[in-house]
Amino acid sequence: GQNIDQPTEMTATEGAIVQINCTYQTSGFNGLFWYQQHAGEAPTFLSYNVLDGLEEKGRFSSFLSRSKGYSYLLLKELQMKDSASYLCAVRSFLSNSGYALNFGKGTSLLVTP
Amino acid sequence: DSGVTQTPKHLITATGQRVTLRCSPRSGDLSVYWYQQSLDQGLQFLIQYYNGEERAKGNILERFSAQQFPDLHSELNLSSLELGDSALYFCASSSRGQGVDEQYFGPGTRLTVT
């Protein structure tokens, strides 16, 4: 089964750095994704990690430790438009039938002036 | 705009009824995924199709079914609707169904069951 945990809410100040953590337990791990979702809108892809280490993409970075079942999303130089829900998603291999992408419940980030 | 289209945007129906949600993937994408998002459960994976065939199944109820047609569009059928089925239903597509293969989400269909 899947168990994906991330904080429910976080608040940070414009211009600051924030780290959103995600822990997971799964079998057949095949990659970890981070998505951003503004209220009432579709999720949009931010990052993907399948090997241990840090992936950097502009103001966003994502880290993965497979042995610890742990990932984080780092957002730098926060902007007001970064206020959104951030979803951690784990892709797992389903025997004989492909892959499933299972999402955590999301972390609602509020960026304040 | 992700390139994934979903119709209708909103749907209001009564308990016990049946509805069909439609999804057209991005041009060239072979894989289609369906998700349900409710306030208390978050985004739940329902089912995946790849090039017309079912590839993976998540927490999809027996009252729900889906298919992917030769032109690669997909439909999600929800029957014997219950109040608890009220949710936002997203379709996503990807090119291969594995590897990095990021999923692109459509705008969703908001289903309200009364």
Side-chain angles (χ1 to χ4, degrees):
Chain A
Q2 297 279 333
N3 192 15
I4 302 171
D5 289 315
Q6 46 181 136
T8 305
E9 294 178 338
M10 296 183 74
T11 302
T13 306
E14 191 176 14
I17 299 173
V18 71
Q19 178 174 312
I20 302 174
N21 296 323
C22 171
T23 58
Y24 64 90
Q25 294 174 314
T26 187
S27 54
F29 177 83
N30 191 253
L32 189 141
F33 295 75
W34 284 95
Y35 280 80
Q36 180 191 61
Q37 186 178 26
H38 287 97
E41 298 182 9
T44 55
F45 170 79
L46 290 178
S47 70
Y48 169 76
N49 296 71
V50 68
L51 300 176
D52 291 352
L54 189 68
E55 294 285 338
E56 297 188 75
K57 217 177 185 183
R59 296 190 299 115
F60 296 82
S61 303
S62 57
F63 171 83
L64 175 67
S65 169
R66 288 171 298 169
S67 62
K68 295 181 179 177
Y70 168 70
S71 173
Y72 67 72
L73 179 70
L74 195 69
L75 292 79
K76 304 174 188 174
E77 302 169 14
L78 280 172
Q79 301 174 9
M80 300 297 289
K81 67 178 182 179
D82 296 329
S83 292
S85 183
Y86 291 85
L87 310 176
C88 172
V90 175
R91 187 170 63 195
S92 301
F93 176 69
L94 303 177
S95 59
N96 301 322
S97 62
Y99 302 88
L101 189 62
N102 291 288
F103 285 80
K105 293 190 177 182
T107 298
S108 181
L109 174 67
L110 176 64
V111 180
T112 60
Chain B
D1 184 356
S2 67
V4 179
T5 60
Q6 288 186 248
T7 56
K9 286 189 177 178
H10 302 277
L11 198 50
I12 302 174
T13 189
T15 54
Q17 295 298 304
R18 172 189 169 95
V19 296
T20 297
L21 313 183
R22 183 188 168 99
C23 168
S24 292
R26 288 189 323 155
S27 177
D29 282 359
L30 299 177
S31 200
V32 168
Y33 309 77
W34 285 98
Y35 294 89
Q36 179 192 58
Q37 187 173 40
S38 56
L39 284 174
D40 57 341
Q41 290 294 319
L43 201 58
Q44 299 280 311
F45 168 68
L46 296 178
I47 198 164
Q48 177 199 0
Y49 279 83
Y50 179 81
N51 204 20
E53 293 189 4
E54 183 182 303
R55 173 67 70 87
K57 221 170 196 179
N59 299 320
I60 187 166
L61 300 172
E62 285 191 11
R63 300 183 286 109
F64 296 1
S65 65
Q67 57 185 134
Q68 186 179 28
F69 294 87
D71 68 352
L72 300 178
H73 92 271
S74 178
E75 293 181 356
L76 178 67
N77 300 296
L78 315 175
S79 62
S80 303
L81 284 168
E82 302 175 0
L83 295 177
D85 298 327
S86 295
L88 199 50
Y89 290 84
F90 285 108
C91 165
S93 75
S94 68
S95 57
R96 295 180 293 125
Q98 55 185 301
V100 177
D101 203 40
E102 62 186 88
Q103 295 182 23
Y104 294 86
F105 282 76
T109 293
R110 183 170 294 281
L111 174 66
T112 303
V113 182
T114 62

